[in-house]
Amino acid sequence: MQKVYPWQQNVWETLTGRFPEMGHGLLFYGKAGCGKHEFAQQFLAWVLCSNKQSQAACGECVSCQWLKSDTHPNYVHISTDEDNKKQNAKIKIEKIRELLPFVQQTVDGWRVIVIEPAEALNIASSNALLKTLEEPGERVILILLADHYLKLPATIRSRLQHFALDRISPEQALQYIQTKQSELSVEQINLLLNLSGAMPLKALQLAQSDWLAKRQDFLLDWINLVTQKNKPMLFATKWNKELAFTDFISMFEYLLGDLICVKLNQSIKNIDLSFDPLLPAYTLEYLFGIYVEIQHAKRLVEQNVQSNLVMDQLFIKLMNVT
Ligand SMILES: [Zn+2]
C-alpha cells in the first residue's frame, strides 16, 4: 500500500479526517516537484475506494482496479490536449462543458474530477467551471492542481478550499532524496535542491537530466566565446548536437539566472560554478535582453523553426560584440 509523501501527511490527515464533510471544490497547490499530482491520485483513489484504509485506498476493490486500468466510470481527468505540449497551452471550454452531464447525473458512490494544471484554464473555461462549482451534484469532488494559485481567477479561488503541498523542511527533502538515490553526496543533493527550489521530486528529476553534468563544459565555452569573441557558429553547432534544444534552454536559463543574481549580489543556485569570468562582459540590462531573446527562441522552436538557426542567433547575442 503506497502512502503519501512525509510532507503531505498533515494534509492527508486533515482531508481524510473531515471526509465526507468537506467542500466539493479543493485546490491542491505547490511548486513543481512537490508531488501534488501523486497526492491527488492517492486521495481520489481513497475517496472512490469501497474499502478505505486509514493511510490509503485498499488497492484491491473494484474501484481500485478500475483506477489501475484507467477505466473508472466515476473519475474524470482534465488537462490540455495530449498533442499540445506548448508552454501556454490552455484547457478548452468544450472539455469543461462536457463535465456538466457527468456532475449532474445520479449515480451511486462518489465522483471525482481532477483539473491539471488549473493555470491552463482560460477565461471562457474558467467561467464554464464556475457554473459546475455552483451547482454540483451530490458526492462530487472537484480537485484543481496548481503550481501558483494566485494565477487562478479570484472567482475560482474563492470557491475552493486550499491545501498547500509544498511545505517541506530541508531535513525531509534531504532524507527523501537519500532514500531514493543513496549514491548521491550531501553536496550533490544540496545542489539539486538549490536548482529545484527545494522540491524533492523535481530534484530527483534533475539528477536524471542530460544537461546537469554538462553545465561546467558549457560555462567554459561561454567564457571562451565572450573573451575571444570568435566562432559563435562553432559553439552553437556543438551545443545543438550536445543537448536537445529544450534541455539546452533549461540549463541555460539556470546559468543566466545565476549570472543575473551575481550582478545583483544575490545567492546563486549553481553553487558549484563560478560566474566571475563572465561578469565584465555584460551589463545587467544586456543580460535581461538575453533573457527576452531566449523566450523568443523558445516560441520560434515551438513554431517549428529549426533549432540550429535559433541557436546561431542566441550565440551571436551571447558573444556580445558591440
Ligand atoms: Zn479500494
Side-chain angles (χ1 to χ4, degrees):
M1 212 189 307
Q2 209 187 339
K3 282 176 63 177
V4 295
Y5 298 114
W7 55 89
Q8 299 172 340
Q9 194 60 38
N10 285 342
V11 178
W12 177 267
E13 278 162 23
T14 303
L15 279 168
T16 55
R18 259 183 226 172
F19 185 86
E21 305 297 324
M22 53 177 24
H24 57 268
L26 307 176
L27 173 63
F28 296 160
Y29 70 94
K31 285 190 269 182
C34 72
K36 54 190 176 297
H37 171 83
E38 292 77 0
F39 182 88
Q41 293 301 313
Q42 297 261 46
F43 180 65
L44 75 90
W46 184 88
V47 167
L48 296 171
C49 177
S50 55
N51 185 22
K52 295 176 182 34
Q53 316 289 304
S54 68
Q55 293 298 321
C58 76
E60 286 161 10
C61 69
V62 175
S63 170
C64 287
Q65 290 182 13
W66 269 332
L67 277 181
K68 274 183 205 158
S69 59
D70 205 14
T71 54
H72 206 301
N74 291 4
Y75 167 52
V76 176
H77 182 266
I78 292 184
S79 187
T80 52
D81 290 344
E82 269 305 302
D83 56 352
N84 193 345
K85 295 293 177 204
K86 288 182 186 172
Q87 289 183 43
N88 294 316
K90 295 292 177 192
I91 293 171
K92 292 192 183 115
I93 184 171
E94 291 77 18
K95 289 194 173 180
I96 303 297
R97 285 200 181 126
E98 284 164 10
L99 282 177
L100 269 179
F102 177 77
V103 299
Q104 285 168 349
Q105 66 188 328
T106 314
V107 294
D108 286 336
W110 287 79
R111 278 161 287 167
V112 180
I113 300 155
V114 171
I115 299 180
E116 172 183 20
E119 292 96 332
L121 291 164
N122 60 21
I123 293 172
S125 47
S126 295
N127 286 337
L129 182 64
L130 279 175
K131 259 199 159 144
T132 312
L133 282 168
E134 272 158 16
E135 308 158 12
E138 280 180 33
R139 298 188 304 277
V140 171
I141 294 183
L142 184 70
I143 300 173
L144 273 68
L145 300 185
D147 289 0
H148 309 285
Y149 75 91
L150 285 172
K151 286 190 183 167
L152 305 181
T155 44
I156 298 261
R157 268 188 276 143
S158 63
R159 284 171 172 78
L160 303 169
Q161 293 178 37
H162 302 194
F163 296 92
L165 294 176
D166 61 357
R167 307 288 153 83
I168 308 168
S169 73
E171 295 76 26
Q172 281 174 330
L174 183 73
Q175 267 179 18
Y176 181 76
I177 295 174
Q178 279 173 333
T179 59
K180 292 286 166 184
Q181 300 244 322
S182 53
E183 76 281 7
L184 292 174
S185 68
V186 172
E187 288 75 24
Q188 285 170 316
I189 294 176
N190 282 334
L191 170 67
L192 290 169
L193 287 172
N194 255 309
L195 293 172
S196 67
M199 295 297 115
L201 304 189
K202 189 168 182 195
L204 287 172
Q205 210 181 0
L206 290 177
Q208 305 300 321
S209 69
D210 289 335
W211 55 263
L212 188 73
K214 299 192 176 182
R215 292 168 304 133
Q216 180 76 60
D217 187 20
F218 171 73
L219 190 59
L220 287 175
D221 281 355
W222 190 359
I223 291 165
N224 281 333
L225 181 66
V226 294
T227 48
Q228 296 164 11
K229 302 216 184 289
N230 199 5
K231 297 184 182 145
M233 309 305 198
L234 193 77
F235 289 116
T237 306
K238 173 184 168 185
W239 285 98
N240 194 45
K241 283 186 189 142
E242 284 279 326
L243 289 170
F245 180 75
T246 48
D247 285 333
F248 175 81
I249 291 294
S250 296
M251 172 180 77
F252 186 71
E253 283 188 316
Y254 274 114
L255 297 175
L256 179 64
D258 273 354
L259 189 51
I260 290 172
C261 283
V262 177
K263 282 271 184 196
L264 293 168
N265 286 321
Q266 291 174 356
S267 54
I268 58 171
K269 293 194 164 82
N270 294 276
I271 40 182
D272 55 339
L273 300 179
S274 168
F275 294 86
D276 293 347
L278 285 175
L279 286 180
Y282 303 109
T283 61
L284 194 55
E285 194 186 1
Y286 197 88
L287 292 175
F288 283 118
I290 296 173
Y291 180 79
V292 171
E293 177 114 357
I294 301 175
Q295 307 315 313
H296 181 60
K298 284 196 272 193
R299 280 194 297 276
L300 288 177
V301 171
E302 279 182 359
Q303 292 158 11
N304 295 323
V305 175
Q306 286 180 10
S307 64
N308 60 329
L309 302 177
V310 173
M311 291 285 274
D312 286 350
Q313 286 306 310
L314 180 61
F315 276 71
I316 290 168
K317 174 93 179 173
L318 288 187
M319 189 169 71
N320 187 19
V321 178
T322 45

